Amino acid sequence: MTTLFPMVPFVPNETPLSWAARQAAFHTRGRVMPFLTDLGIPLAELARGEGNAVVRLCRKAGYDPAPVLRNTISAIGRRRYRLRELEFAAEFTTGPVTRACPVCLEEDRTGARIPGATIRHRLIWRLAPVRTCPLHGSPLRDLRSKRWDDIAHELQAMTAMIATELKAPYHARAVSPLQAYTMERLDAQSGPAWLDGQDIDQAVRATEMLGALEAFGPELKASEMTEDMWDAAGRAGWPIVSQGASAIREYLMARSSVSKRKRAAPRAAFGMLHAWLSSSRLSKDPGPIRAMVRDVIIETTPLRKGHMLFGEPVMDPHLSSVASIAKAECLDARTLRNVLKVAGMLNEEEVAHASNRPVVDYTAARDLIDIVKHAVPVSRLPDLLGASRPLVAILIEIGKLNRVQDHRALESKVGKAVDGLGVQSILRFLEANFPAIDEAPEGFVDLSKSAEKSRSRVKVILELIFLGHLKRVYRVRGEHGFAAVVVDPDEIKALIATPPPGLSEDSYFLMD
């Protein structure tokens, strides 16, 4: 294999494409694409950072591939890239834009016999959050010819644009802490734990979005931001994110409370941060910032159950209007208002106006709502259970039915009810344990008659049934609940003669 001579050394801070362009300028005085074509290396493959293309270029140049591969940004699919140990989205790079420091390029050219062989495109210039030259403090300039071969970032073909940029005045500035963090992480150095715990592009974007909210307020759109503004956003966001999750949450809560004088929508409170996280075109995982903002919105904003927030339904809203709660819980709004009033969650005026707009703490009301939803008036129990009123009273006495005990509900009509879940539990017990028949066997009678025949009490018989001591129990088809139950008085007499374990002390006393 023919090796290019003399060797053009690779500079540790440049990209493989920059090195190829310098070799083209040195060996052919021409452009990089025909040079690579002569070497049998497609420009597109080198631009994508394909390892085989980089290795072939190194072999042609007679150079060790290791340092060149270390500076290679490689496409790994689905608009994802890898550089060293870091993976990131395409947006973390400058894309087809060639970013450069005019002062650095002027220093590259000074005194050079072949300037095209000395000007280098630095690796860090390919990273979107790098906007300031760490050597000269100059804001980096974005160059683009809007041609297909912009992917080559060939500075040698941009001499006119570079000359124009050299004349543009600038104010020197220090490198932002976010840019410094980016370059340090590129060199495998550790930084703040919250940032290090996510992909580098997630960490940078979250910092910039929070900083944009802090620096420019919630009214500005991301599309209106310039590169200098994004740099300012990174500087403003750094003091927040560098302190970790608790500081970020504290900042978000403060932002929310400032904007909530009239319960402003989350978009009004968080601006482009909210727009970014809720965008339907958000194809990349934004990282932990999404869950943090979502939690703050749920905690501070009235939402309805099932509201879609950042692509997920809110199933447990913290705050909600009476109307939304009533709809979600399938409750009559008037009943809900009365119960919330008893609980001290609505005032007299709000109830009197019959408005369903007041916002309440859904979390605090949830237990009470659950009681209301399942509360069954005692007057309905005979029909629901197929039982007499005295039998219903016994079921309450032995604990098979529980009265509403929540003191917030006792002052309303709900307080005259029992927990309906117990009703369903009793009916399921009867159906699951006792077979249905068309006619009662000879000698079998209903519960009331069995008490007479066995000279026992209905309470004792019910305890024997629920504890599973009575084995010969049936349900007659055509009847409902306890009205369908028939038992054998002789079996009851036998059990009373030799009382089984587990009965209440009152029942044992009644057996004596």
Side-chain angles (χ1 to χ4, degrees):
M1 178 184 295
T2 304
T3 302
L4 295 170
F5 181 84
M7 178 189 292
V8 177
F10 179 77
V11 180
N13 66 358
E14 70 179 323
T15 67
L17 278 169
S18 169
W19 184 43
R22 292 197 301 112
Q23 292 188 76
F26 181 82
H27 291 294
T28 70
R29 305 298 192 272
R31 298 284 301 277
V32 69
M33 184 175 176
F35 172 73
L36 290 174
T37 300
D38 289 344
L39 297 181
I41 303 171
L43 172 62
E45 290 185 10
L46 194 60
R48 288 195 299 269
E50 295 187 13
N52 290 336
V54 175
V55 170
R56 289 201 302 274
L57 176 62
C58 291
R59 287 175 178 170
K60 289 289 186 180
Y63 202 82
D64 178 14
V68 187
L69 289 169
R70 188 171 185 272
N71 279 16
T72 300
I73 300 175
S74 301
I76 56 177
R78 294 181 297 179
R79 291 180 56 79
R80 296 287 294 175
Y81 290 83
R82 178 185 293 117
L83 173 62
R84 299 174 188 172
E85 300 301 320
L86 303 178
E87 289 189 13
F88 43 80
E91 288 75 8
F92 187 70
T93 71
T94 61
V97 171
T98 299
R99 185 166 291 174
C101 169
V103 184
C104 286
L105 298 183
E106 180 64 17
E107 290 181 353
D108 289 347
R109 295 161 55 96
T110 300
R113 183 174 60 88
I114 307 174
T118 57
I119 58 174
R120 305 186 306 279
H121 189 224
R122 274 64 165 174
L123 173 64
I124 63 171
W125 295 348
R126 287 281 287 120
L127 306 178
V130 175
R131 300 183 176 92
T132 304
C133 176
L135 294 178
H136 306 105
S138 60
L140 301 183
R141 315 299 172 86
D142 287 349
L143 311 173
R144 188 176 182 185
S145 61
K146 296 185 179 180
R147 292 164 48 92
W148 74 269
D149 58 356
D150 280 340
I151 61 173
H153 301 288
E154 189 177 6
L155 293 168
Q156 290 77 359
M158 301 179 180
T159 52
M161 284 187 284
I162 293 171
T164 300
E165 290 298 331
L166 279 171
K167 298 176 184 177
Y170 69 89
H171 295 287
R173 64 192 184 194
V175 167
S176 75
L178 182 61
Q179 176 175 322
Y181 168 78
T182 300
M183 293 188 293
E184 289 166 1
R185 189 160 170 181
L186 187 63
D187 289 332
Q189 298 180 40
S190 60
W194 187 79
L195 295 172
D196 285 351
Q198 53 194 304
D199 288 346
I200 189 170
D201 56 331
Q202 295 173 333
V204 167
R205 198 59 173 165
T207 303
E208 291 178 340
M209 283 294 182
L210 282 166
L213 179 62
E214 171 65 11
F216 305 110
E219 291 80 16
L220 195 66
K221 297 178 181 178
S223 59
E224 300 169 344
M225 296 278 286
T226 64
E227 288 300 328
D228 282 345
M229 293 170 75
W230 282 120
D231 182 76
R235 296 173 191 271
W238 182 259
I240 303 170
V241 300
S242 60
Q243 296 181 66
S246 60
I248 297 170
R249 175 178 168 79
E250 182 179 345
Y251 174 77
L252 293 171
M253 290 294 290
R255 269 283 169 188
S256 179
S257 62
V258 165
S259 302
K260 296 296 178 183
R261 285 170 291 188
K262 294 186 178 180
R263 295 194 183 276
R267 188 177 294 273
F270 300 117
M272 72 174 73
L273 174 63
H274 180 275
W276 169 51
L277 296 174
S278 59
S279 172
S280 60
R281 295 178 295 176
L282 185 62
S283 59
K284 300 169 290 300
D285 179 7
I289 188 65
R290 174 163 53 187
M292 297 177 71
V293 177
R294 190 175 190 273
D295 288 346
V296 168
I297 291 175
I298 290 174
E299 186 169 339
T300 60
T301 305
L303 301 170
R304 59 175 175 78
K305 191 174 183 179
H307 174 86
M308 292 300 293
L309 180 60
F310 300 162
E312 297 179 45
V314 178
M315 302 313 296
D316 294 304
H318 180 66
L319 300 174
S320 196
S321 69
V322 172
S324 295
I325 295 174
K327 183 177 180 180
E329 302 292 349
C330 300
L331 288 173
D332 180 80
R334 292 170 297 179
T335 300
L336 179 59
R337 285 200 307 271
N338 289 333
V339 173
L340 292 174
K341 173 195 169 186
V342 170
M345 301 177 71
L346 290 179
N347 58 41
E348 293 281 356
E349 183 180 355
E350 289 171 324
V351 176
H353 287 170
S355 172
N356 296 329
R357 298 178 63 183
V359 172
V360 299
D361 187 333
Y362 200 162
T363 305
R366 190 163 284 119
D367 291 343
L368 184 56
I369 290 169
D370 192 57
I371 293 170
V372 175
K373 287 176 64 176
H374 298 107
V376 176
V378 173
S379 60
R380 290 189 57 203
L381 294 177
D383 291 335
L384 293 174
L385 291 171
S388 64
R389 289 183 180 275
L391 194 148
V392 168
I394 295 171
L395 289 171
I396 294 174
E397 181 184 349
I398 65 176
K400 292 302 176 183
L401 291 175
N402 297 311
R403 286 190 180 276
V404 171
Q405 297 297 318
D406 194 296
H407 293 286
R408 296 170 296 173
L410 292 178
E411 297 177 33
S412 70
K413 65 180 181 180
V414 176
K416 300 176 182 179
V418 300
D419 186 350
L421 295 177
V423 175
Q424 298 301 319
S425 177
I426 289 173
L427 293 175
R428 286 195 299 269
F429 174 82
L430 296 179
E431 291 178 5
N433 291 279
F434 308 126
I437 57 176
D438 293 325
E439 292 184 14
E442 186 176 353
F444 279 66
V445 294
D446 60 33
L447 294 179
S448 179
K449 184 65 72 174
S450 69
E452 294 179 15
K453 287 183 171 290
S454 64
R455 296 182 179 180
S456 180
R457 299 287 184 91
V458 174
K459 177 181 178 181
V460 175
I461 297 172
L462 285 174
E463 287 194 10
L464 292 172
I465 287 175
F466 283 113
L467 290 171
H469 295 308
L470 276 180
K471 305 298 183 184
R472 305 184 66 196
V473 183
Y474 299 99
R475 291 178 298 113
V476 179
R477 292 191 179 93
E479 299 290 345
H480 171 68
F482 286 100
V485 174
V486 292
V487 295
D488 182 0
D490 292 335
E491 185 184 12
I492 296 172
K493 290 178 182 179
L495 287 169
I496 291 174
T498 309
L503 300 177
S504 66
E505 292 184 5
D506 191 33
S507 292
Y508 285 124
F509 176 78
L510 292 172
M511 290 180 184
D512 290 339

